[in-house]
Amino acid sequence: IQELLRVMRTIDDRIVHELNTTIPTASFVGKVDPGQTCKELYESLMDAHTSRERIIKNCISQTSAVVKTLKEEREKAHEDVALLKQLRKEQTKV
């Protein structure tokens, strides 16, 4: 999931470049509608943020379910060190 998030952050990481290529220079003002191109950039950013938020929330939900299951198993097997390590790892992930 970290790799997926890194890829999804590309537009944010390159925002200065995106703005420089979206806003026309004086020689291109008549050929490009700056309002439309800025609107498209904004929509692209919002789509990226929405997708990223959905993925993060899904990951949290799935990891929380795993933590809940591991906690239940831990209550049954207090002496299982490997289970405790796995539980701590998942809790850290959340």
Side-chain angles (χ1 to χ4, degrees):
I1 191 160
Q2 290 177 347
E3 181 64 23
L4 180 61
L5 290 175
R6 186 187 64 76
V7 170
M8 294 179 83
R9 280 193 40 186
T10 302
I11 193 167
D12 291 334
D13 294 343
R14 295 183 179 173
I15 191 66
V16 172
H17 173 72
E18 292 291 330
L19 286 171
N20 287 340
T21 58
T22 300
I23 299 171
T25 59
S27 60
F28 286 99
V29 169
K31 299 174 185 175
V32 178
D33 179 11
Q36 182 63 30
T37 54
C38 284
K39 181 181 176 184
E40 290 170 3
L41 175 60
Y42 174 78
E43 289 172 356
S44 175
L45 281 170
M46 294 311 298
D47 288 344
H49 290 183
T50 301
S51 296
R52 199 165 54 222
E53 182 178 2
R54 186 179 63 250
I55 288 171
I56 290 169
K57 285 182 178 181
N58 186 31
C59 179
I60 290 170
S61 175
Q62 288 178 2
T63 306
S64 295
V66 170
V67 167
K68 182 180 177 184
T69 303
L70 289 172
K71 280 183 178 181
E72 290 170 359
E73 290 177 22
R74 175 75 175 139
E75 290 191 17
K76 294 175 188 173
H78 293 288
E79 304 300 322
D80 191 347
V81 177
L83 183 62
L84 179 61
K85 285 183 180 181
Q86 186 179 2
L87 174 61
R88 297 289 182 237
K89 180 182 174 186
E90 294 298 318
Q91 286 175 326
T92 301
K93 209 186 294 185
V94 173

